[in-house]
Every structure is written in C-alpha cells, then in structure tokens.
Amino acid sequence: MLLKVKVVPQSSRLEAAGWSDEILRIKLTKGAHDGEANEQLIAFLAKSFHLPKSSLTIVSGAHQREKVVDLPGIELETVKIRFP
C-alpha cells in the first residue's frame, strides 16, 4: 500500500503522532540533512510492521515533509490498528 506520511524532524521523541485525514504524522528525532530523517522513517515503519528495511521505499517527497511510502503487503486497516 502507499502510505501518506507527514514527518516532523528533530522532535524530542520518535513516535506516530496521529492522523490528519488520510495522512499519518510521524515525529522523528533525526534531522533532515544527509537523509537521516528518511532513514529513520524507513527503519521506524519497517520495525513497526516487521518488514525488512529494504522492502520499503519512499515513492515521492524524499526531500519534503510530506512523503508517500510504499509498504508492501500491508493494508490501511493494519496501519490504523497499529497507529490509531
């Protein structure tokens, strides 16, 4: 599935911070430079859904706060259960 995400880099905690329409807001502790925030986002989502990091890809928005991440084999209902 393609998951729309809005990231908040350099937050004090690494966590999912709720939904705004169909966009999941995720707070990251890493900054945006050198792709650290993107790496942390992929690692966080992979761990949350027990997927290998290599199977997740940022489809669009790699240099923006709003991103689209491909989560193969995961349904939207599963994401909403994991992050209510």
Side-chain angles (χ1 to χ4, degrees):
M1 82 158 285
L2 297 178
L3 176 66
K4 294 180 182 178
V5 175
K6 181 172 185 176
V7 298
V8 181
Q10 295 183 313
S11 295
S12 60
R13 297 180 60 172
L14 174 61
E15 64 184 356
W19 293 86
S20 176
D21 295 320
E22 293 295 315
I23 300 173
L24 178 61
R25 189 167 171 244
I26 298 180
K27 294 181 178 182
L28 303 172
T29 59
K30 300 287 185 180
H33 71 319
D34 295 332
E36 291 177 353
N38 287 341
E39 289 176 16
Q40 187 176 41
L41 173 65
I42 293 295
F44 177 73
L45 291 173
K47 183 176 179 181
S48 297
F49 296 104
H50 308 289
L51 296 170
K53 289 187 284 186
S54 61
S55 69
L56 278 71
T57 55
I58 297 176
V59 176
S60 67
H63 299 288
Q64 301 169 352
R65 289 183 186 225
E66 290 194 15
K67 305 174 186 300
V68 176
V69 180
D70 185 18
L71 297 173
I74 303 296
E75 299 293 327
L76 181 60
E77 294 79 25
T78 304
V79 177
K80 290 194 173 189
I81 290 170
R82 175 67 180 93
F83 302 121

